[in-house]
Amino acid sequence: MRILISNDDGYLAPGINALAEALSTVADIVVVAPDSNRSGASNSLSLDRPLSVSKAANGFYFVNGTPTDCVHIALTGMLDARPDLVVSGINNGQNMGDDTLYSGTVAAATEAYLFGIPAIAFSQVHGGWAEVESAARVARDIVLRRFEMLESPFLLNVNIPNLPYEQIGPLVPTRLGRRHQSEPVIRGQDPRGREIFWIGAPGACRDAGEGTDFHATSKGCVSVTPLQVDLTHRDQLDLLRRGLG
Amino acid sequence: MRILISNDDGYLAPGINALAEALSTVADIVVVAPDSNRSGASNSLSLDRPLSVSKAANGFYFVNGTPTDCVHIALTGMLDARPDLVVSGINNGQNMGDDTLYSGTVAAATEAYLFGIPAIAFSQVHGGWAEVESAARVARDIVLRRFEMLESPFLLNVNIPNLPYEQIGPLVPTRLGRRHQSEPVIRGQDPRGREIFWIGAPGACRDAGEGTDFHATSKGCVSVTPLQVDLTHRDQLDLLRRGLG
Amino acid sequence: MRILISNDDGYLAPGINALAEALSTVADIVVVAPDSNRSGASNSLSLDRPLSVSKAANGFYFVNGTPTDCVHIALTGMLDARPDLVVSGINNGQNMGDDTLYSGTVAAATEAYLFGIPAIAFSQVHGGWAEVESAARVARDIVLRRFEMLESPFLLNVNIPNLPYEQIGPLVPTRLGRRHQSEPVIRGQDPRGREIFWIGAPGACRDAGEGTDFHATSKGCVSVTPLQVDLTHRDQLDLLRRGLG
Amino acid sequence: MRILISNDDGYLAPGINALAEALSTVADIVVVAPDSNRSGASNSLSLDRPLSVSKAANGFYFVNGTPTDCVHIALTGMLDARPDLVVSGINNGQNMGDDTLYSGTVAAATEAYLFGIPAIAFSQVHGGWAEVESAARVARDIVLRRFEMLESPFLLNVNIPNLPYEQIGPLVPTRLGRRHQSEPVIRGQDPRGREIFWIGAPGACRDAGEGTDFHATSKGCVSVTPLQVDLTHRDQLDLLRRGLG
C-alpha cells in the first residue's frame, strides 16, 4: 500500500511525525506537507505564485504553500506513482461540526478525494499533543481496516480523544454536529494605538446529541464521519424549482 | 433592508463597486471587503494575528484579511445592526461545480449563513469584467425577489453570463456540476534556476448535464444553486454503521 | 522632466496622491507603487516569486511587492524611458536617524540611486496626513531646485513638518541623528492564550543636537539629508588592517 | 561568553546548525531565528502584527518574523541576559558589495549593533552549503579573536570561500565593493496567461579591485568588512550647506 501523508500544522509538527512513523511499518509512505503552520487555511489553493518543493533530512518533502497545494502538486505531477490512500494530520486539535469547513487538515484529504483517491483526516480532540503516540496507533488501526464496505473513493473525518491507547473507546460512525455562533470579535489596541480585531472563540455546541462527532468523542470514542463535497441543498432546490417555475 | 457586501477580489474590484452601486438604490448597504485580492482563499480564517479595519474615501471598509474574516468581524461586533442579507461578489469569473469549495466569494456568503443570515454569492461566468453592469442589475433583481419560498436562512450561489442585460436568460435553479481532475502541475524554473511548480488549470466538466450550473449558464441563463454546509455523507454513514456495527 | 514616483504606504495612500498631483504640474510623472501598505519593508526584494503589475483607474501602476521591487522592475524593463528623477513618499510619518535603515520609503529612493538616478525620499514628521497638501507643495519646490551643486546621482532624505505651507521653515542640510535603544518588547496573550510579542516603540533621541534631522524639524524647518550607501566603516577598517596585519 | 545566533535562511538551515555546533564548544549559545526562509528581508521589522516564539526539539527558538524581528525581541525582553556577541548566518551565499543592503543576514547583525552589542555576519561565497563545516570552523576562529583593536561595538561582515578548511586563505580587512546595475527584469506569463515579472540577476562587479570583499574572496581569502550604519553622505552634506546657504 502506498500512502501520501500531509497536514496543516507543517512538516515538523509532532502529529505528522507520529503518523508517518506509525504508518511506515505497514505501508510505503511519502510525506508532502506545508513548510510552516497553515492552520485555518481551509481549501486555499495558490494560483498567483509558483510553489517550490524541498526535501528535509528525514526524507519529508515540504512546500511553501497550503495543505491543498501540497496534495494537489503531489497528485498532479510530483509523485511518480498514484497513492492508494491519502491521510492528513494528526491535527493539533479537533475538526468537528462546522469547523471542518475551515480546516486545512480536512481540506488536504478532500483534495485527494476530488482526485478519486480514498482519504482520511485525523485530528486529536484537544490541542497540545498529549497522547499523540496513542492517536497514531489508532490511525494505523483505522488505515488497516480498509473500509471495503464503502464505495471508493471515500473521505473520512476522524477525531481521536487524547487518551492512552487502552482507554480509547471504539470507532463510532457519526454525522457532523453543529455549533452555535462564534463568540464576539475581540477589540483591542496594538502598542501603536491602532484599533485591532481578533477573531473570537468558536461557539458552544448546538447539535452535540447522539450520533454526532461531538457526542462520540465526549464519551471517549473515536468519531468517524464520512464526508462528501456536494454542497447542493437538495430540499431547497426542490422548493426553488417550484417557487421560480 | 440592510445589506452587508463583501467579496474576494478586494474592495477596489469593479465587481464589488458595480454591486454596491446597484444595491444602494434599493437598500442600506455597508461594504466590508479584503484590502487586496484574496481569490482562492476558500473559508480561511485568520486566527494567529489581529485584523485592522480601515475606511476608504468612498465609505467602503477594508480589512487586511480574508473574505471570511471580513464577514466574521462585521457580524460579531464591528457593525451596530445585524444585516438582513449578506451578498458577496460580483466575482471575476465563475464559481461552479467543485470550484465552490475553493472560492472566497462563496466562503464570504457561507460565513453569513453560518451566523443565520440569508446570503447570496454572485459571480460572472467569465473573468475580465465584461458586462459587469448587467450582472449588477441581475444581482439587484435577484435580491429584490426575497426568496420567501425558501426557509431562512438560505445560501444561494449565483453565476451570471457575461451578456447585455436584455440577452440574459431567466433564473434556473440548479445543482452543482462536477469537473474532471485538474490539469497536471506545470513544472518550470525560476530565473535563479530553482525548480518551481504552478498549479494547473481546472479540469473539463464531467457532470455538466441538464440541471447543473454548468448547463444553465452555457444556455445563457442565470444559474441559482441553493447550498448547505453539512458535508456528512449520509449514504456512506449508513454503510459505515452496518459495516462497523 | 520625467519623474517616477513610488512609496511604501501603497498606491492609494493620501501622501502619494498629493505628491503625484503636485508634481504633475511640473513634470511627466509615472506612479509605480505597492498594492498595499508595506511600511517597514526596508530594502526587501522579492526573489522567490514573480510580481504582477496592474493599472488603476487613475493611471497609477501597482505591484504586489515591496517598494524596492516597484522601483527595480520599473527601471529594469517595465518603463520605456529612464526617468530623470525618482521620488518616494510622501510617507505617513518621519524617517529620521537610524530609522532610515528600516524605511521602505527611503529604500525605494535608494534603489533608484543604485541605478544611477537621482532620488529623493519625502516624509512628514508626524503620521496622520495633517497638512499633506503643504508637504506636497514643499516637495515640488524641492524637486524644482534640481541640486546642481551635488554630483549626480544624489540621494536625499527629506522630512517635512506638518505645518501650513506659510509656516514651514527653510531647507536645512542635516546629518542623520541617532536614537537610544528601542523600548522593550511588549508581551501579551492572544485570545487563544498563546504568548505573543509586539515590537516596542522606538527609543528617544540620543543625538538630536544641532545639525541633525531631528533638530531641524523640531524647529519647524525642512530637513534635507544627503545619503550614500557604502556601509564600510573606514576608521575601523584602518584599525583592523593594523590589528590583523 | 554568551552568544546569540540568528540568520535569514530559517532555523533549520544547515548554515545555522553548523555555526551553532561550532560555537557551542567555546561559548554559551542561544539560537533565535526565523521559522522559514527570509532571504532578502533586509532590515524589515514587523510592526503590524504580534510575533510568536516557539522552541524546537534541539533547543533553538524560532519566530514567525524577520531576522531583524528575531534579534530585536531577543534583546528587548525575551532573553534574560544580554549577550556578549551576536552572530548571524552562515548564509547560503555571499553578501558583498551593495548586496549587503538587501541582506537579512547582515540586518540581523546590524540590529544587534544598534543595541550596542558587537556583531558578526557570516556568509559563504557560494550557495549550496558546500564546505559549510569548514566555514563554521572559520567562524569559530574569528569569534575567538575578539577584535580588541576595534572600539566596541563593532559590526563585521564576513564572507568565506567554499573551500576545505586547510585551503582557506587568511583574513583580509576589506571595504565593500560595488556592482553594476542588475540584469533586466524577466517578463513571462503564468499558466493563466497573466503577465509576470521576475527580478533579474545581480549585475557584474564594477568595483572588485584590490581592497574589496569581491577581490579578497576571489583569491580564496576570508573577507572581513567593518560596517557602520550612518548613511549620511558627508561630502555632499558640505556641498549642500554651501549651495543652500
Side-chain angles (χ1 to χ4, degrees):
Chain A
M1 185 162 46
R2 255 191 306 266
I3 301 182
L4 169 65
I5 305 177
S6 194
N7 77 343
D8 76 349
D9 292 317
Y11 77 104
L12 291 165
I16 199 168
N17 274 280
L19 184 59
E21 201 168 324
L23 295 184
S24 66
T25 62
V26 298
D28 288 335
I29 65 159
V30 58
V31 174
V32 183
D35 62 352
S36 59
N37 193 328
R38 304 276 177 150
S39 296
S42 190
N43 303 78
S44 293
L45 198 57
S46 300
L47 300 178
D48 64 343
R49 62 182 181 85
L51 303 165
S52 60
V53 180
S54 307
K55 192 171 187 174
N58 66 354
F60 289 10
Y61 294 95
F62 57 97
V63 176
N64 59 347
T66 67
T68 299
D69 288 336
C70 291
V71 173
H72 191 105
I73 67 173
L75 297 183
T76 64
M78 182 193 142
L79 298 184
D80 293 329
R82 187 177 165 93
D84 303 300
L85 179 70
V86 175
V87 301
S88 173
I90 300 169
N91 192 59
N92 185 23
Q94 63 187 251
N95 282 304
M96 300 198 278
D98 315 321
D99 301 347
T100 49
L101 279 179
Y102 306 100
S103 164
T105 305
V106 175
T110 301
E111 190 69 9
Y113 175 73
L114 285 170
F115 278 97
I117 300 174
I120 312 176
F122 293 105
S123 305
Q124 283 194 291
V125 171
H126 298 290
W129 307 118
E131 300 291 351
V132 70
E133 301 298 335
S134 299
R137 282 181 68 186
V138 170
R140 184 177 55 190
D141 295 347
I142 288 174
V143 164
L144 291 174
R145 276 178 177 255
R146 290 166 175 271
F147 297 95
E148 284 165 0
M149 76 288 272
L150 300 178
E151 66 215 273
S152 181
F154 53 78
L155 173 60
L156 301 179
N157 184 38
V158 175
N159 284 273
I160 304 169
N162 301 58
L163 293 172
Y165 184 73
E166 297 72 21
Q167 296 174 29
I168 295 178
L171 304 199
V172 177
T174 53
R175 70 175 191 276
L176 296 173
R178 298 295 303 273
R179 287 191 185 280
H180 281 286
Q181 294 180 14
S182 293
E183 296 295 311
V185 72
I186 296 156
R187 284 170 191 257
Q189 278 200 335
D190 75 11
R192 282 155 193 82
R194 292 174 294 212
E195 187 173 32
I196 56 174
F197 297 84
W198 289 93
I199 299 289
C205 294
R206 183 174 56 166
D207 172 10
E210 207 167 329
T212 65
D213 43 8
F214 292 125
H215 188 266
T217 53
S218 74
K219 301 297 182 194
C221 297
V222 177
S223 161
V224 182
T225 311
L227 301 181
Q228 49 82 37
V229 293
D230 185 352
L231 298 169
T232 308
H233 195 312
R234 302 283 164 180
D235 296 345
Q236 289 204 339
L237 180 54
D238 291 342
L239 293 170
L240 199 61
R241 280 188 180 129
R242 260 174 268 143
L244 293 181
Chain B
M1 184 160 49
R2 256 191 304 265
I3 301 182
L4 169 65
I5 305 177
S6 194
N7 77 344
D8 76 348
D9 292 316
Y11 78 105
L12 290 165
I16 200 168
N17 274 280
L19 185 59
E21 201 168 324
L23 295 183
S24 66
T25 62
V26 298
D28 288 337
I29 64 159
V30 58
V31 174
V32 183
D35 61 353
S36 59
N37 193 329
R38 305 275 177 151
S39 296
S42 189
N43 302 79
S44 292
L45 197 57
S46 301
L47 300 177
D48 64 343
R49 62 181 181 85
L51 303 165
S52 61
V53 180
S54 306
K55 193 172 187 173
N58 66 354
F60 289 10
Y61 294 95
F62 56 96
V63 176
N64 59 347
T66 67
T68 299
D69 288 336
C70 292
V71 173
H72 191 106
I73 68 174
L75 297 183
T76 64
M78 182 194 142
L79 298 184
D80 293 330
R82 186 176 166 93
D84 303 300
L85 180 70
V86 175
V87 301
S88 173
I90 299 170
N91 192 59
N92 185 23
Q94 64 187 251
N95 282 304
M96 300 198 277
D98 314 321
D99 301 348
T100 49
L101 279 178
Y102 306 99
S103 164
T105 305
V106 175
T110 301
E111 189 70 9
Y113 175 74
L114 286 170
F115 278 96
I117 300 174
I120 312 177
F122 293 105
S123 306
Q124 283 193 290
V125 170
H126 298 290
W129 307 118
E131 300 292 350
V132 69
E133 301 298 335
S134 298
R137 282 181 69 186
V138 170
R140 183 177 55 191
D141 295 347
I142 289 175
V143 164
L144 291 175
R145 278 180 175 253
R146 289 167 176 271
F147 297 96
E148 284 164 0
M149 77 288 273
L150 301 178
E151 66 215 275
S152 181
F154 53 78
L155 172 60
L156 301 179
N157 184 40
V158 175
N159 284 274
I160 304 169
N162 301 58
L163 293 172
Y165 184 73
E166 296 72 21
Q167 296 175 29
I168 294 178
L171 304 198
V172 176
T174 54
R175 69 175 192 276
L176 295 174
R178 298 295 303 275
R179 286 191 185 279
H180 281 285
Q181 294 181 14
S182 293
E183 296 295 312
V185 73
I186 296 156
R187 285 169 191 256
Q189 279 201 335
D190 76 11
R192 282 155 194 82
R194 292 175 295 212
E195 187 173 34
I196 56 175
F197 297 84
W198 289 94
I199 299 288
C205 294
R206 183 173 55 167
D207 172 10
E210 207 167 328
T212 65
D213 43 8
F214 292 124
H215 187 266
T217 53
S218 73
K219 302 296 181 195
C221 298
V222 176
S223 161
V224 182
T225 310
L227 301 181
Q228 49 83 38
V229 294
D230 185 351
L231 297 170
T232 308
H233 195 312
R234 302 283 164 180
D235 296 345
Q236 290 203 339
L237 180 54
D238 291 343
L239 293 171
L240 199 60
R241 279 187 181 130
R242 259 175 268 145
L244 294 181
Chain C
M1 185 163 45
R2 255 191 305 267
I3 302 181
L4 169 65
I5 306 177
S6 194
N7 77 344
D8 75 349
D9 292 318
Y11 77 105
L12 291 165
I16 199 168
N17 274 279
L19 184 59
E21 201 168 323
L23 295 183
S24 66
T25 62
V26 298
D28 288 334
I29 66 159
V30 58
V31 174
V32 183
D35 62 351
S36 58
N37 192 327
R38 306 274 176 152
S39 297
S42 189
N43 302 76
S44 293
L45 197 57
S46 301
L47 300 178
D48 64 343
R49 62 181 181 83
L51 304 165
S52 60
V53 180
S54 306
K55 192 172 187 173
N58 66 354
F60 289 11
Y61 293 95
F62 56 97
V63 176
N64 58 345
T66 66
T68 299
D69 288 336
C70 291
V71 173
H72 191 104
I73 69 174
L75 297 182
T76 64
M78 183 193 141
L79 297 184
D80 293 330
R82 187 177 166 93
D84 303 300
L85 179 71
V86 175
V87 301
S88 174
I90 300 169
N91 192 58
N92 185 23
Q94 64 187 250
N95 283 303
M96 300 197 279
D98 315 321
D99 302 347
T100 48
L101 278 179
Y102 306 100
S103 165
T105 304
V106 175
T110 301
E111 189 70 9
Y113 175 73
L114 285 170
F115 278 96
I117 301 174
I120 313 177
F122 293 105
S123 307
Q124 283 194 289
V125 171
H126 297 290
W129 307 118
E131 301 291 352
V132 70
E133 301 298 336
S134 299
R137 282 180 69 186
V138 170
R140 185 178 53 192
D141 295 347
I142 289 174
V143 164
L144 290 175
R145 276 179 177 255
R146 289 168 176 269
F147 298 96
E148 284 164 1
M149 76 287 273
L150 302 178
E151 67 217 272
S152 180
F154 53 79
L155 172 61
L156 300 179
N157 183 39
V158 175
N159 284 273
I160 305 168
N162 302 59
L163 293 172
Y165 184 74
E166 296 71 21
Q167 297 175 28
I168 294 178
L171 304 199
V172 176
T174 54
R175 71 175 190 276
L176 295 174
R178 298 295 304 271
R179 287 190 183 281
H180 282 286
Q181 293 182 15
S182 293
E183 296 296 312
V185 70
I186 296 156
R187 285 168 189 256
Q189 279 201 335
D190 76 10
R192 283 157 193 82
R194 290 175 296 213
E195 186 172 35
I196 56 176
F197 297 83
W198 289 93
I199 300 289
C205 294
R206 184 174 56 168
D207 172 10
E210 208 168 329
T212 66
D213 42 9
F214 292 124
H215 188 265
T217 53
S218 74
K219 301 295 182 199
C221 298
V222 177
S223 160
V224 182
T225 312
L227 302 181
Q228 49 81 37
V229 294
D230 185 351
L231 298 169
T232 307
H233 194 312
R234 303 282 164 181
D235 296 345
Q236 291 204 338
L237 180 53
D238 291 341
L239 293 171
L240 199 61
R241 280 190 181 127
R242 259 174 270 142
L244 294 181
Chain D
M1 184 163 45
R2 254 191 307 266
I3 301 182
L4 169 65
I5 305 177
S6 194
N7 77 344
D8 75 349
D9 292 318
Y11 77 104
L12 291 165
I16 199 168
N17 273 279
L19 185 58
E21 201 167 323
L23 295 183
S24 66
T25 61
V26 299
D28 288 335
I29 65 160
V30 57
V31 174
V32 183
D35 61 352
S36 57
N37 192 327
R38 306 274 176 152
S39 296
S42 188
N43 303 76
S44 292
L45 197 57
S46 301
L47 300 177
D48 64 343
R49 63 182 181 84
L51 303 165
S52 61
V53 180
S54 307
K55 192 171 186 174
N58 66 354
F60 288 11
Y61 293 95
F62 57 97
V63 176
N64 59 346
T66 66
T68 299
D69 289 336
C70 291
V71 173
H72 191 105
I73 68 174
L75 297 182
T76 65
M78 182 193 142
L79 298 183
D80 293 331
R82 185 175 167 94
D84 303 300
L85 178 70
V86 175
V87 301
S88 175
I90 301 169
N91 193 58
N92 185 23
Q94 65 187 249
N95 282 303
M96 299 197 278
D98 314 321
D99 302 347
T100 49
L101 279 180
Y102 306 100
S103 164
T105 305
V106 175
T110 302
E111 189 71 9
Y113 175 73
L114 285 170
F115 279 96
I117 300 174
I120 311 176
F122 293 105
S123 307
Q124 282 193 290
V125 171
H126 298 290
W129 307 118
E131 300 292 349
V132 69
E133 301 298 336
S134 300
R137 283 181 69 186
V138 170
R140 184 177 54 192
D141 295 347
I142 289 174
V143 164
L144 291 175
R145 276 178 176 256
R146 289 167 177 270
F147 297 95
E148 284 164 0
M149 77 287 275
L150 301 179
E151 68 216 270
S152 181
F154 53 79
L155 172 60
L156 300 179
N157 184 39
V158 176
N159 284 273
I160 305 168
N162 301 58
L163 292 171
Y165 184 73
E166 295 71 21
Q167 297 175 26
I168 294 179
L171 304 198
V172 176
T174 54
R175 70 175 191 276
L176 296 174
R178 298 295 303 272
R179 286 191 185 281
H180 281 286
Q181 293 182 15
S182 293
E183 295 296 312
V185 72
I186 297 156
R187 285 170 190 255
Q189 279 201 334
D190 76 11
R192 284 158 192 80
R194 291 175 295 213
E195 187 173 34
I196 56 176
F197 297 82
W198 288 94
I199 299 289
C205 295
R206 184 174 54 169
D207 171 12
E210 207 167 330
T212 66
D213 42 9
F214 293 124
H215 187 266
T217 53
S218 74
K219 302 294 181 199
C221 297
V222 177
S223 160
V224 182
T225 312
L227 301 181
Q228 50 82 36
V229 293
D230 185 351
L231 298 170
T232 307
H233 195 311
R234 303 281 164 182
D235 296 345
Q236 290 204 338
L237 180 54
D238 291 341
L239 293 171
L240 199 60
R241 280 190 180 126
R242 259 173 271 143
L244 294 180

